[in-house]
Amino acid sequence: MEKTQDDILMKARSYRGITTSALRLYTASFRRIFKATWLFAFLYSMIVSVLGTLLTTKLLPIMLQIAALPQYKWLIAQEHLPLIIAFLIFFILGLVVFLLICGIVAGKLKEHQDTNLITTPLRWFAKPTFLRPFRSMLKAAGRHWLLTLGILLVALVILVPICLFACLPAIILTVAAVQAHIGTLMGDPFGMPTYIEYLAAGTWFLAAFLQVYILMSLLFVGYYAYGSAETQKKEREEQKLNIQ
């Protein structure tokens, strides 16, 4: 995608201008980003699907038992230790895959900065570049923390409702599972269908896949925030030299 005047990175922008430019670039290059990341996004969603299924069908009863019988919490946890360890392993794997996706997208943003283009890699397993783009963005965020905080607040105000809407089926299923498990502790029959595991797996998979691409827009916001912060810094330095 060719860079227009509005897409120039090194340009001072307001909070609204940063968010608008970021979302415009993200939507315009979404197809290329999707082609570069969909395999990792699929793997991440599979891992979250396993995590969500374990949480909904196995871990919620354990947590409710611990809440109802706190004096036996260590005994209950020890009894289900393999399940807890498996959950933690899948959680770490999911985090690693999510960081891989972020690395690929950060590499695409670095490519946009260097070549004015975002292209689709020839191989799905293109080497992700973590440190260079993230290091520059984090340094700029630290120097201009007030601007960074304001931009994050604006972006979160936009993205949080979208994320909640995308995750609404998973939230509803989890709340229903909590109520059903509470009922079983009180002597009522389990009120969830027998295919709850399949339902939970599909629901969490869809929610995770959608949320990956919603959250990736934050990297584009950070990209333009970095450009704006660096431009403002350069302008202040030039003003100081002119005064001297």
Side-chain angles (χ1 to χ4, degrees):
M1 190 194 81
E2 295 184 1
K3 187 186 295 184
T4 65
Q5 183 66 26
D6 291 333
D7 291 329
I8 292 175
L9 176 62
M10 296 302 176
K11 178 181 176 181
R13 289 179 170 88
S14 63
Y15 297 153
R16 181 179 178 183
I18 289 171
T19 305
T20 302
S21 296
L23 294 179
R24 181 172 56 246
L25 179 62
Y26 184 55
T27 54
S29 56
F30 179 78
R31 187 170 62 179
R32 296 178 177 89
I33 294 296
F34 183 81
K35 287 181 179 179
T37 59
W38 75 266
L39 191 60
F40 288 107
F42 182 84
L43 178 59
Y44 171 77
S45 301
M46 289 292 293
I47 295 172
V48 173
S49 177
V50 173
L51 288 172
T53 304
L54 290 176
L55 175 66
T56 305
T57 61
K58 305 295 184 182
L59 290 180
L60 279 178
I62 297 172
M63 290 187 288
L64 290 172
Q65 288 178 25
I66 292 174
L69 302 168
Q71 65 272 27
Y72 299 110
K73 59 183 178 181
W74 297 117
L75 184 62
I76 296 171
Q78 186 177 4
E79 183 181 354
H80 299 91
L81 189 59
L83 180 63
I84 296 172
I85 292 174
F87 184 87
L88 291 176
I89 291 173
F90 274 100
F91 180 82
I92 293 171
L93 286 174
L95 183 61
V96 170
V97 175
F98 184 80
L99 289 176
L100 281 171
I101 297 171
C102 291
I104 292 172
V105 176
K108 295 292 101 183
L109 289 173
K110 186 66 172 63
E111 181 183 359
H112 181 264
Q113 180 183 355
D114 294 339
T115 66
N116 301 346
L117 295 169
I118 290 181
T119 62
T120 304
L122 297 177
R123 300 185 307 275
W124 281 328
F125 293 97
K127 183 180 178 181
T129 56
F130 291 102
L131 297 179
R132 270 195 311 174
F134 283 150
R135 188 184 297 121
S136 300
M137 291 167 65
L138 289 175
K139 284 182 179 179
R143 288 195 300 267
H144 306 276
W145 62 270
L146 189 60
L147 175 66
T148 303
L149 181 61
I151 291 165
L152 285 176
L153 288 175
V154 172
L156 288 175
V157 166
I158 297 172
L159 293 180
V160 166
I162 300 174
C163 285
L164 288 176
F165 181 77
C167 295
L168 190 59
I171 294 171
I172 294 172
L173 180 65
T174 303
V175 172
V178 170
Q179 292 177 340
H181 289 306
I182 291 174
T184 58
L185 289 175
M186 299 177 66
D188 296 330
F190 187 63
M192 298 296 286
T194 55
Y195 53 85
I196 178 63
E197 293 183 357
Y198 302 103
L199 181 63
T203 303
W204 283 99
F205 177 89
L206 181 61
F209 196 82
L210 292 175
Q211 202 168 56
V212 163
Y213 291 104
I214 294 172
L215 294 178
M216 283 305 104
S217 61
L218 282 175
L219 289 178
F220 284 74
V221 174
Y223 174 67
Y224 280 109
Y226 160 73
S228 178
E230 290 300 294
T231 301
Q232 291 176 10
K233 176 187 174 183
K234 184 177 179 180
E235 289 176 350
R236 283 196 296 268
E237 291 175 351
E238 289 177 351
Q239 289 177 357
K240 289 180 181 179
L241 290 176
N242 291 334
I243 292 174
Q244 293 175 354

